[in-house]
Amino acid sequence: MKTDDVVIEVKKLKKAYGKNQVLKGIDLKVQRGTMLALLGPNGAGKTTTVKILSTLLKADDGVAKIEGIDVSEDPDAVRRVIGLTGQSAAVDELLTGRENLVMMGELYRLTRKSAKARAQELLEDFDLVKAADRPAKTYSGGMRRRLDLAVSLIAIPPVIFLDEPTTGLDPRSRLAMWEIIRRLMDSGTTILLTTQYLEEADQLADKIVVIDGGKVIAEGTAEELKGKVGNDRLEIGFANASDLNKAKSAIGKNVFASNDKENSITVMVKDTNTDIKDTLNLLSDKKIKVTAVDVHKPTLDDVFLSLTGKTDKKSTEGEK
Ligand code: ADP
């Protein structure tokens, strides 16, 4: 279900810790039944944003509304429509998975009977039936995250915040979590996901907002963001530094990045049919020997690196 109605709306959100201005005016809009990924490196301000939206923290300035309710004016009403999972969610380590779920159900005023029924449903959905009656402290990292998410879903909230749900998980557990998140999306839940993994945002989100240093630095669909850094990428390898340098001056401003350790360069390709041939012909004319050629589609990594400049490859000036 996708409509035009905006479920999460954030305008010019600001927050400082002492002199450290960690949010410098964030704007976000999430439409009903869609997922927005807030993507950014460590310290970008993702958790701070989610804490403000989930009423755990007060903003200094700006407006944040969930389902039209202002988080600072009516935090109780906001809490009734959201589920929060991630670093700040509460799972009692000493209770079993089932007990955690039933307790949370009762906290949300379900009768004991419906809390138990809902708990069983979630244990099944999240592949936790076998471990249901063991204390949560015996759970693996992946099981623990699944329980965390299950607990936040007990009252079937229409809006869910997933704060770095897969950070630190092994690849298999990450894939299992993605499956669960996809099912959640299929059920029409509106989701704000924070992640430092480009691939996660690419795989799951309808829209991505990239933040760095407390500011939005780019937004769009994964495809739109990839489109911003050109079409295909051509990587060319050379035998030594001397050939690499000759190639760099021959190709000039079309060199997007160079990796001096590996004697290779990346060239942006706007037209696959002509640009690759032209570039290789140019090198051949100048008698520069090419040892490897690889063409690939831009990844979100390319986008992120070109936006933030955080890379071990050196970006060419003027190409940002
Ligand atoms: P992210 O989730 O993107 O990693 P955070 O929102 O956790 O980023 O943090 C943003 C910045 O705010 C960081 O520089 C962090 O050190 C700082 N910060 C976070 N929480 C606190 C706090 N309670 N007191 C002081 N500084 C904080």
Side-chain angles (χ1 to χ4, degrees), residues 15-18 20-23 38-51 57 87 163-164 194-196 211 214:
K15 177 76 193 173
Y17 287 112
N20 187 9
Q21 189 73 42
V22 298
L23 298 185
L38 198 56
L39 174 69
N42 247 329
K46 303 182 296 293
T47 299
T48 304
T49 306
V50 167
K51 278 190 176 161
L57 189 70
Q87 296 152 3
D163 192 15
E164 302 205 14
T194 75
T195 184
Q196 42 180 309
I211 66 168

Side-chain angles (χ1 to χ4, degrees), residues 48-269:
T48 304
T49 306
V50 167
K51 278 190 176 161
I52 293 171
L53 295 181
S54 53
T55 76
L56 298 173
L57 189 70
K58 279 209 177 313
D60 299 334
D61 204 359
V63 181
K65 287 182 182 173
I66 318 285
E67 294 279 19
I69 314 161
D70 192 308
V71 293
S72 60
E73 280 170 15
D74 198 349
D76 286 343
V78 168
R79 269 179 231 131
R80 281 196 286 276
V81 295
I82 64 167
L84 171 65
T85 178
Q87 296 152 3
S88 43
V91 163
D92 188 327
E93 295 271 327
L94 298 176
L95 299 181
T96 67
R98 190 189 303 279
E99 285 164 349
N100 265 292
L101 288 162
V102 172
M103 188 184 76
M104 193 54 90
E106 290 183 320
L107 218 66
Y108 274 95
R109 312 239 166 98
L110 298 182
T111 63
R112 188 156 183 87
K113 198 171 160 214
S114 16
K116 278 185 169 170
R118 178 80 182 126
Q120 181 61 30
E121 210 174 270
L122 287 163
L123 289 165
E124 282 165 18
D125 281 358
F126 288 69
D127 198 16
L128 288 169
V129 174
K130 274 198 205 134
D133 299 308
R134 284 190 353 225
K137 67 171 185 224
T138 66
Y139 285 18
S140 69
M143 290 159 72
R144 169 80 210 234
R145 296 294 174 92
R146 298 208 298 278
L147 178 62
D148 215 29
L149 180 52
V151 165
S152 71
L153 295 177
I154 200 95
I156 319 183
V159 184
I160 282 275
F161 297 109
L162 298 173
D163 192 15
E164 302 205 14
T166 67
T167 294
L169 290 187
D170 61 81
R172 222 176 111 223
S173 307
R174 175 166 301 145
L175 288 180
M177 197 70 179
W178 285 0
E179 256 332 288
I180 285 171
I181 294 172
R182 285 201 181 96
R183 265 189 271 144
L184 202 58
M185 291 168 72
D186 289 343
S187 73
T189 310
T190 305
I191 303 176
L192 180 74
L193 166 97
T194 75
T195 184
Q196 42 180 309
Y197 302 119
L198 305 138
E199 199 198 343
E200 186 157 292
D202 196 2
Q203 286 280 326
L204 298 174
D206 297 294
K207 218 184 124 187
I208 299 169
V209 168
V210 186
I211 66 168
D212 193 27
K215 276 194 295 205
V216 174
I217 55 171
E219 60 183 300
T221 61
E223 291 316 308
E224 282 165 0
L225 290 176
K226 289 175 196 170
K228 280 191 183 172
V229 287
N231 299 325
D232 293 353
R233 302 312 192 79
L234 170 64
E235 264 178 49
I236 311 171
F238 304 94
N240 51 50
S242 151
D243 282 354
L244 173 75
N245 288 329
K246 277 191 231 158
K248 277 203 236 174
S249 52
I251 296 169
K253 69 175 175 45
N254 287 334
V255 176
F256 173 70
S258 77
N259 185 334
D260 294 350
K261 269 191 217 140
E262 290 178 15
N263 293 324
S264 71
I265 53 172
T266 305
V267 179
M268 307 259 257
V269 177

